[in-house]
Amino acid sequence: QAAGAIFEENAVRDDEIFQLAISDLSLNDDILQSEKITHSVKLIEPNNPFQAVQEACELMNQGILALVTSTGCAAASALQSLTDAMHIPHLFIQRNGEGSPRTACQFNPSPDGESYTLAARPPVRINDVLLTLVSELHWQKFIIFYESDYDIRGLQTFMDQASRSGLDVSLQRVDRNVSRVFADLFNMMRTEELNRYRDTLRRAVLLMSPRGAQVFIHQAVETNLASKDSHWVYANEEVSDADIMELVHSSLGRMTIIRQIFPLWRDTNVRCMRNNHRISSLLCDPQEGYLQSLEVSNLYLYDSVLMLANAFYRKLEDRKWHSMASLNCMRKSTKPWNGGWSMLDTIQKGRISGLTGLMDFRAEGSNSHVQFEILGTSYSETFGKDVKRLASWDSTRGLNGSLKENRIESGMQGVTLKIVTLLEEPFVMVAENILGQPKRYKGFSIDVLDALAKILGFKYDIYQVGDGKYGSALPNGSWNGMIGELIGKRADLAISAITITPERERVVDFSKRYLDYSVGILMPKSEEKINIFSLLAPFDLAVWACIAAAIPVVGIMIFLLRRIQAVRCQNSAGGHPPPSVSTSLQSAIWIVYGAFVQQGGCSDSILGSVALRIVMGSWWLFTLIVCSSYTANLAAYLTVSRMDNAVRSFQDLSKQVDLVYGTVRDSAVYEYFRAKGTNPLEQDNTFAELWKTINKNNGFDNSVSNPSEGIKKVNIYFESYAFLWDMAVVEYAALTDSDCTLTVAGNSMSTRGYGMALQHGSPYRDLFSQKILELQEKGDLDILKQKWWPKKGRCDLQSYADAQPEGRALRLHSFAGVFCILAAGLLLALLVAALETWWNSNHCRREQPKEDKEMNLEHVHQRLNSLLDEDLAHKQLPGQSIEISALDIGSMQPSQSLEALSARDYPAHRGPRPLSVTTFLQEGHGAGRTLGAAAGRNLPLPLSSATMPSIRCKHRAPNGGLFRQSPVKIPMPMSYQPVPGGPIPEASEPSHGTSI
């Protein structure tokens, strides 16, 4: 596809924008699929129709499908005649001359009535806006100043309509030398005429360039022709914010400015994407600074290229494609392009949304979509006035707003306002009503309204909006909800939880914010999951199983190595193993377990061999690594567990999977997430993930139709749904929840707020804003806020927030597993003790069914040791000695004699005090008997502790209780001297069992 373009040489931005548009289309395959647009650009001198026709003929000779031009009216008129003759579609963008207001180009009528020139830039509608403005201001007499560059023919329709309306309108041309104009006035006019002229200047319309208007007003103020009651109206489609501020600061009196606007500029997301078309970031991002340097004609040029691409795409779809026109303009016999009418019809039926908004050519071959805004200041004697947006005007609805001067100074006594509202807790709620009386309302917003009514002295009638909506723009340009009530003049003020947004500010006025706004997350409180064995969590179950298996494995290894060592020592010691070394498997596992829990249990005597030392050294290293890893993992686990289920921001909400979430469909919050989630300039994908969930199935899965439904859904689907809505509303819902099971999270930073919406240009806006600021300064708004959002209410949200600090002490349930393990160990010990008691009692009953031996071993040990200590110094003990143990005494059978127990004879003890041992064992009715009967016979009775485990049964002490083994001193060798046998005299206390 080929497109030709003709631009003026002084239009430096036209060629750049055209190339940029072609480049954007090449990067978007969805527009033309695999096709690419080829183009050829020609530059001409300004206001040179002949050169324009020459360049156009050359382009037609090359072969083009359409022609795009951005020139003045003279060149456009010549090109219109040529394209009509050659049947080439011609998209024309009119340029301004030297910054002066634009006037409509006068085209010649087409010969056959078929015009191939389409005006991409809308017709001049400044006259219509001026007529509406002077009608609203009730001007009957005023003067219009215009520059020499301005085409006076553009005012013809305005003058005709003003004359029919009975208006007294004067026209005066202003030369480039403005100072000379005022000098001539003073030279030519007398004082009376100057006074009349000064009175005429009180109502003046300026049709000039921004610089010319600034100089003119400055000269009028300097010459004292302007006064504080002067009202200047400046009308120009193209005027920047900087030019507006210069005009306002140089003027005296009231200033009103009319300029063309493009509402979609403020919405970054809509501005950057047009259906499937991606617009260059230079034109999307205002921070680039490139957008501010463009003229209005540049923006319409970009949209014209989009319109052509749209037509080419539909031509490809319909498969009604014609070959490119290769025409020779110089030949009289040249026939027009046979596909021109079809291409023109395709372009005229198309519609796009571009940088300037909607564009189509369905209204008599021109783009009819245009919108103006009316800015202004109040009457003032100062030069530092604020500029406010008073109203807007568009081609379909006309004026929206009021231009009447706000003269209200302090009060509104006697005024009754019609107020529209919407129920939203806790802003507006229905109070208890009395039958037959008007509804009464309560809430935070109602309290603020009552405070303002008390200060200003007005009364109000309040009613609820019919559709139950705050207000959003509809596809046809109208508004619904409370905003629609204000636009339709059915209400003077709207109050509820209505947020101040740029889109709403274009059609209504807002007071100063009386409460900050932010989006909050209403969700159920996360119940802390109790896991009594959380201390086992640092290791996986398989790790614990491997550790548990390692203990007996290492214990068996040590058992085997110690048995090998014991055999080797027995062989070297002549068949007797060292009595101090135990070689049981139970003791080996006990040693390994003691080392694992870092309780010792291993001495040098146990680790007698190098192999045992290597095994224990490896086990100690293993234990060190396991314990260190467990400690580190436990600290990390407890830290992470404190951070679990903590949704404190939108980022946390987008990353979790336990909660689904939504908001109210077609609300400001819904549009906020849509704009953020579909904005390609967003670096973080947080809002993209949030929007994907919120808009699931076009919002019907997770989003709701109203806020109360969303709050109920959080309670119904407990622990599985979160509701995104105004922070103030969800915080109130959490504070007043019946079970106090809800909490609120979200971003506390506020860039917007809640305000009172008024009609555009309402005289009450400034007064309401002033009194709201006074209420804030006095702290009255804080008192009202504390009334509806108490910090310490029935449900304390702050305590829940403080319950999860950065660091906290471990709870009892975190250590419950340890106590369970301890309790299990104690119960197991008691169970084993009971089993041992039962087992031993049965075993002893089988071994001794007839006799119950009683002996006081404690007394034996104490007496024997005392005798050894007393006689050790002067007793002569032989080399061959005997070791006796009191435990072995208890193991003797009742009928056993000393002779039968003798192992070998020992020489008789020589000394003055022979040692004799006599035991008393109850037999029959308490008769006693002697252990030894033959003199000179010796009995080996070892007292070593190694032989003490030979006791199988537990014996009763003479007092009836179980005896307790006492620690035995290290045995000493002693000689045994038997005493003559015979009956033992009965002791005074028969309960004594043993005497020495």
Side-chain angles (χ1 to χ4, degrees):
Q1 294 83 30
I6 297 177
F7 307 130
E8 294 181 349
E9 293 177 348
N10 60 350
V12 293
R13 296 292 189 189
D14 282 348
D15 187 34
E16 292 181 9
I17 295 297
F18 185 79
Q19 300 288 349
L20 191 60
I22 297 294
S23 175
D24 288 347
L25 288 171
S26 300
L27 296 176
N28 289 268
D29 295 335
D30 294 335
I31 302 296
L32 292 175
Q33 300 170 354
S34 60
E35 300 290 336
K36 302 297 180 183
I37 294 180
T38 58
H39 61 280
S40 180
V41 179
K42 301 294 183 180
L43 300 179
I44 63 173
E45 296 177 357
N47 297 321
N48 191 337
F50 180 72
Q51 185 183 5
V53 172
Q54 281 185 321
E55 298 294 348
C57 286
E58 184 177 347
L59 290 173
M60 293 177 187
N61 193 26
Q62 295 175 3
I64 57 175
L65 297 174
L67 180 65
V68 180
T69 64
S70 177
T71 62
C73 288
S77 181
L79 290 173
Q80 182 229 359
S81 300
L82 177 62
T83 54
D84 285 349
M86 295 292 115
H87 291 189
I88 299 296
H90 174 211
L91 273 68
F92 165 62
I93 300 99
Q94 182 184 357
R95 284 181 48 78
N96 283 21
E98 301 297 331
S100 297
R102 183 172 64 102
T103 57
C105 294
Q106 304 297 325
F107 288 147
N108 298 321
S110 301
D112 53 358
E114 297 178 357
S115 177
Y116 282 81
T117 298
L118 304 175
R121 191 166 182 178
V124 179
R125 305 298 298 270
I126 286 289
N127 295 340
D128 299 329
V129 182
L130 283 175
L131 279 173
T132 306
L133 186 143
V134 297
S135 175
E136 282 285 315
L137 296 177
H138 303 290
W139 283 4
Q140 295 297 322
K141 182 179 180 181
F142 57 94
I143 186 172
I144 298 177
F145 294 95
Y146 64 94
E147 283 182 328
S148 56
D149 296 334
Y150 180 76
D151 190 353
I152 191 63
R153 292 177 295 178
L155 284 173
Q156 181 177 351
T157 57
F158 176 81
M159 297 299 294
D160 293 341
Q161 294 180 9
S163 177
R164 287 194 296 267
S165 302
L167 302 179
D168 184 2
V169 184
S170 303
L171 295 175
Q172 183 171 342
R173 179 183 176 188
V174 179
D175 294 331
R176 293 183 180 273
N177 193 346
V178 179
S179 59
R180 190 178 65 181
V181 174
F182 285 96
D184 294 341
L185 288 176
F186 280 94
N187 293 333
M188 295 171 55
M189 294 183 179
R190 296 187 300 271
T191 305
E192 295 81 2
E193 293 175 340
L194 283 175
N195 289 335
R196 285 196 298 271
Y197 189 77
R198 181 180 291 108
D199 184 65
T200 305
L201 280 179
R202 293 179 60 249
R203 306 288 183 267
V205 178
L206 306 179
L207 298 177
M208 304 177 180
S209 65
R211 179 59 183 169
Q214 181 184 348
V215 174
F216 181 84
I217 295 174
H218 179 73
Q219 289 293 328
V221 173
E222 288 293 326
T223 56
N224 202 25
L225 290 176
S227 59
K228 64 179 181 179
D229 59 348
S230 297
H231 189 171
W232 307 92
V233 175
Y234 177 73
N236 196 336
E237 289 177 326
E238 295 189 58
V239 55
S240 64
D241 294 341
D243 294 333
I244 291 175
M245 297 309 299
E246 292 290 340
L247 286 171
V248 170
H249 290 164
S250 62
S251 65
L252 183 64
R254 185 181 181 188
M255 188 76 186
T256 301
I257 299 165
I258 303 172
R259 68 171 178 179
Q260 186 179 357
I261 58 170
F262 306 98
L264 293 180
W265 278 18
R266 301 192 181 191
D267 192 338
T268 304
N269 177 65
V270 178
R271 182 172 62 244
C272 294
M273 296 298 297
R274 297 295 186 274
N275 296 328
N276 296 328
H277 178 62
R278 174 75 166 83
I279 298 178
S280 172
S281 60
L282 283 175
L283 303 176
C284 288
D285 192 357
Q287 297 180 357
E288 296 282 351
Y290 188 76
L291 195 61
Q292 285 75 10
S293 65
L294 299 181
E295 300 175 355
V296 173
S297 59
N298 301 141
L299 303 178
Y300 280 107
L301 175 59
Y302 188 97
D303 290 351
S304 299
V305 178
L306 290 185
M307 178 64 79
L308 282 181
N310 179 268
F312 294 161
Y313 173 72
R314 286 186 289 114
K315 271 290 186 182
L316 289 172
E317 279 189 331
D318 297 340
R319 301 186 183 276
K320 298 178 181 179
W321 193 255
H322 296 274
S323 60
M324 289 185 295
S326 180
L327 308 173
N328 191 340
C329 302
M330 302 305 172
R331 293 181 183 179
K332 293 183 179 180
S333 60
T334 301
K335 294 182 179 180
W337 182 33
N338 58 359
W341 177 252
S342 176
M343 179 61 70
L344 178 67
D345 184 63
T346 304
I347 296 174
Q348 285 182 319
K349 291 181 179 179
R351 170 178 284 188
I352 65 155
S353 177
L355 293 176
T356 59
L358 290 177
M359 175 181 282
D360 59 48
F361 300 106
R362 301 175 185 179
E364 299 178 356
S366 62
N367 179 21
S368 62
H369 301 284
V370 64
Q371 185 175 3
F372 293 89
E373 71 173 350
I374 302 175
L375 308 173
T377 63
S378 301
Y379 287 106
S380 173
E381 299 182 14
T382 62
F383 297 97
K385 299 178 288 295
D386 293 331
V387 180
K388 301 174 183 177
R389 193 168 186 268
L390 303 178
S392 63
W393 188 97
D394 58 54
S395 53
T396 57
R397 292 176 296 174
L399 184 69
N400 177 27
S402 176
L403 302 176
K404 296 179 181 179
E405 173 62 14
N406 184 0
R407 293 289 186 177
I408 299 177
E409 297 294 338
S410 59
M412 297 171 58
Q413 286 78 10
V415 177
T416 300
L417 298 179
K418 191 73 172 178
I419 297 178
V420 62
T421 189
L422 175 65
L423 297 182
E424 183 76 87
E425 296 182 354
F427 290 88
V428 179
M429 298 177 288
V430 177
E432 295 182 1
N433 294 302
I434 302 176
L435 187 63
Q437 295 187 3
K439 278 189 176 182
R440 297 176 62 251
Y441 297 89
K442 64 179 180 179
F444 176 71
S445 296
I446 300 298
D447 288 348
V448 175
L449 182 64
D450 290 339
L452 293 175
K454 183 178 180 180
I455 296 174
L456 297 175
F458 66 87
K459 298 180 180 180
Y460 62 86
D461 294 329
I462 191 168
Y463 70 97
Q464 295 183 33
V465 64
D467 57 6
K469 296 183 180 297
Y470 286 96
S472 58
L474 301 177
N476 60 0
S478 61
W479 285 72
N480 59 11
M482 293 189 292
I483 302 298
E485 296 291 305
L486 294 175
I487 295 175
K489 313 293 184 185
R490 293 182 291 273
D492 300 311
L493 184 142
I495 189 168
S496 185
I498 182 169
T499 54
I500 304 172
T501 64
E503 294 77 17
R504 290 170 178 169
E505 278 193 305
R506 296 191 190 107
V507 294
V508 297
D509 286 345
F510 278 96
S511 67
K512 294 291 184 182
R513 66 171 71 177
Y514 59 88
L515 184 66
D516 290 334
Y517 167 84
S518 61
V519 179
I521 307 171
L522 179 67
M523 57 187 178
K525 291 181 180 179
S526 56
E527 296 182 357
E528 192 171 2
K529 297 180 180 179
I530 298 177
N531 181 12
I532 61 174
F533 295 103
S534 60
L535 294 179
L536 302 178
F539 286 165
D540 188 59
L541 182 61
V543 178
W544 286 115
C546 292
I547 293 175
I551 294 176
V553 168
V554 177
I556 293 172
M557 185 69 180
I558 293 177
F559 167 71
L560 295 176
L561 292 176
R562 291 176 64 187
R563 287 297 298 266
I564 295 172
Q565 179 185 359
V567 172
R568 186 172 61 252
C569 293
Q570 184 177 1
N571 295 334
S572 62
H576 297 281
S580 62
V581 179
S582 176
T583 58
S584 65
L585 177 61
Q586 177 183 357
S587 62
I589 295 178
W590 182 255
I591 291 171
V592 174
Y593 176 76
F596 179 76
V597 295
Q598 300 179 356
Q599 296 300 317
C602 188
S603 61
D604 291 340
S605 61
I606 296 176
L607 304 179
S609 66
V610 177
L612 279 172
R613 294 178 185 272
I614 294 175
V615 171
M616 289 306 299
S618 302
W619 177 250
W620 288 337
L621 180 61
F622 170 80
T623 301
L624 176 64
I625 296 174
V626 169
C627 293
S628 301
S629 302
Y630 175 81
T631 304
N633 259 19
L634 180 62
Y637 170 79
L638 293 176
T639 302
V640 172
S641 64
R642 282 194 287 265
M643 299 170 60
D644 278 349
N645 59 43
V647 177
R648 295 185 177 90
S649 64
F650 293 137
Q651 288 79 5
D652 297 336
L653 187 64
S654 65
K655 294 175 183 178
Q656 58 82 41
V657 295
D658 298 330
L659 291 174
V660 295
Y661 42 87
T663 184
V664 178
R665 291 185 295 271
D666 300 327
S667 63
V669 178
Y670 188 85
E671 292 299 319
Y672 168 77
F673 283 106
R674 182 194 62 79
K676 298 281 285 184
T678 58
N679 187 359
L681 299 179
E682 283 286 342
Q683 300 295 329
D684 190 4
N685 64 345
T686 297
F687 287 96
E689 294 294 330
L690 292 173
W691 174 244
K692 186 185 302 182
T693 304
I694 292 172
N695 195 43
K696 188 176 181 181
N697 192 16
N698 292 325
F700 287 96
D701 283 356
N702 298 328
S703 295
V704 294
S705 58
N706 55 71
S708 59
E709 182 183 348
I711 296 172
K712 291 179 182 177
K713 193 172 182 179
V714 176
N715 285 310
I716 295 174
Y717 300 99
F718 193 72
E719 294 186 356
S720 63
Y721 185 77
F723 181 54
L724 308 179
W725 194 238
D726 299 359
M727 176 65 81
V729 177
V730 297
E731 187 175 347
Y732 178 80
L735 286 171
T736 57
D737 181 49
S738 57
D739 299 326
C740 293
T741 57
L742 302 180
T743 186
V744 175
N747 186 9
S748 60
M749 298 298 293
S750 176
T751 58
R752 293 189 293 178
Y754 299 96
M756 298 181 180
L758 302 97
Q759 294 181 9
H760 222 327
S762 173
Y764 312 120
R765 182 186 64 177
D766 293 342
L767 199 57
F768 272 67
S769 298
Q770 177 186 353
K771 298 307 177 183
I772 287 175
L773 292 177
E774 292 179 2
L775 290 175
Q776 288 178 343
E777 291 179 357
K778 293 188 297 183
D780 293 343
L781 288 183
D782 293 333
I783 296 175
L784 294 178
K785 184 178 179 181
Q786 181 63 25
K787 172 184 175 182
W788 295 101
W789 291 277
K791 293 182 180 180
K792 297 293 183 181
R794 190 170 61 86
C795 299
D796 192 0
L797 300 182
Q798 192 65 31
S799 63
Y800 177 76
D802 296 339
Q804 296 178 347
E806 293 297 329
R808 66 178 183 186
L810 289 177
R811 304 284 183 86
L812 177 61
H813 61 74
S814 298
F815 263 95
V818 179
F819 289 102
C820 290
I821 294 174
L822 177 61
L826 296 178
L827 292 176
L828 181 61
L830 292 176
L831 179 61
V832 171
L835 290 175
E836 285 182 346
T837 304
W838 173 78
W839 175 262
N840 290 335
S841 61
N842 290 339
H843 184 66
C844 292
R845 193 176 297 114
R846 286 194 302 269
E847 289 183 352
Q848 302 172 2
K850 297 180 180 179
E851 296 183 73
D852 184 13
K853 297 177 294 180
E854 295 183 3
M855 58 189 312
N856 193 342
L857 297 182
E858 183 78 19
H859 186 68
V860 172
H861 291 161
Q862 292 178 359
R863 184 62 177 166
L864 181 59
N865 290 331
S866 63
L867 290 176
L868 289 175
D869 292 340
E870 292 174 1
D871 299 338
L872 184 60
H874 58 274
K875 293 294 183 180
Q876 186 69 28
L877 299 177
Q880 292 181 339
S881 60
I882 181 173
E883 295 178 353
I884 66 173
S885 173
L887 300 179
D888 288 338
I889 300 175
S891 62
M892 285 186 265
Q893 297 296 330
S895 61
Q896 190 173 5
S897 64
L898 287 175
E899 291 83 0
L901 294 174
S902 177
R904 71 168 182 257
D905 294 338
Y906 289 88
H909 174 69
R910 297 179 180 90
R913 296 178 60 185
L915 177 63
S916 64
V917 179
T918 306
T919 181
F920 294 92
L921 299 177
Q922 287 187 353
E923 186 176 4
H925 299 282
R929 64 183 178 87
T930 180
L931 287 175
R937 303 298 300 266
N938 297 323
L939 176 66
L941 296 174
L943 290 174
S944 172
S945 62
T947 62
M948 291 177 63
S950 60
I951 298 178
R952 294 288 189 271
C953 304
K954 294 182 181 179
H955 301 277
R956 294 186 179 275
N959 57 4
L962 293 175
F963 69 85
R964 177 175 55 89
Q965 296 182 8
S966 62
V968 181
K969 294 187 179 181
I970 297 175
M972 294 296 293
M974 66 179 181
S975 59
Y976 177 75
Q977 179 65 37
V979 295
I984 301 174
E986 194 164 335
S988 59
E989 289 189 23
S991 61
H992 287 250
T994 304
S995 65
I996 300 176

